[in-house]
Amino acid sequence: QVQLVESGGGLVQSGGSLRLSCAASGSISGIYKMGWYRQAPGKQRELVAFSTRGGRTNYADAVKGRFTISRDNAKNTVYLQMNSLIPEDTAVYYCYAAKLVPIVGDVNYWGQGTQVTVSS
């Protein structure tokens, strides 16, 4: 099992910044991708960004140029620096880790979620 612990959410004014962190622990061998999804009230969960162990990153169009994902492999931690926040970024942000498990295949693990609220 993989445990993911998130931190860094909160309330911020439009134009402000927040930094989310997600630390992985447990059976972390085989994790090849970590990232963030978000879910706003009444909407489906959507991908925000991910980072692979090899350094490849990907961002949703809505956050490109404003959010930056980074990863510290030694600490098994992924970060999401969110700048120029807008009210539409308000959501619960979930950290996830993708792990390749022998025989089973890809398995995704999820954090408990952290609330980000951007006021106008």
Side-chain angles (χ1 to χ4, degrees):
Q1 289 291 325
V2 174
Q3 292 79 44
L4 300 173
V5 178
E6 301 144 336
S7 61
L11 173 64
V12 65
Q13 288 189 330
S14 183
S17 299
L18 283 174
R19 187 193 194 209
L20 306 182
S21 300
C22 173
S25 62
S27 182
I28 60 174
S29 175
I31 291 177
Y32 65 91
K33 182 193 296 184
M34 293 183 71
W36 298 88
Y37 274 73
R38 68 185 181 185
Q39 188 167 20
K43 294 187 177 181
Q44 289 189 331
R45 190 174 295 192
E46 62 178 3
L47 176 69
V48 176
F50 69 75
S51 172
T52 70
R53 192 168 184 85
R56 184 171 69 91
T57 59
N58 188 66
Y59 296 90
D61 287 343
V63 307
K64 282 181 181 176
R66 300 188 297 120
F67 291 10
T68 302
I69 190 169
S70 60
R71 186 169 170 175
D72 186 334
N73 288 329
K75 295 182 178 180
N76 302 304
T77 300
V78 65
Y79 305 95
L80 186 68
Q81 179 66 44
M82 304 185 293
N83 298 329
S84 301
L85 285 161
I86 57 178
E88 289 76 15
D89 294 320
T90 295
V92 177
Y93 284 69
Y94 295 92
C95 174
Y96 82 101
K99 176 176 174 175
L100 186 61
V101 178
I103 301 177
V104 175
D106 282 339
V107 177
N108 282 346
Y109 296 89
W110 296 91
Q112 77 282 2
T114 185
Q115 178 70 46
V116 171
T117 303
V118 184
S119 63
S120 57

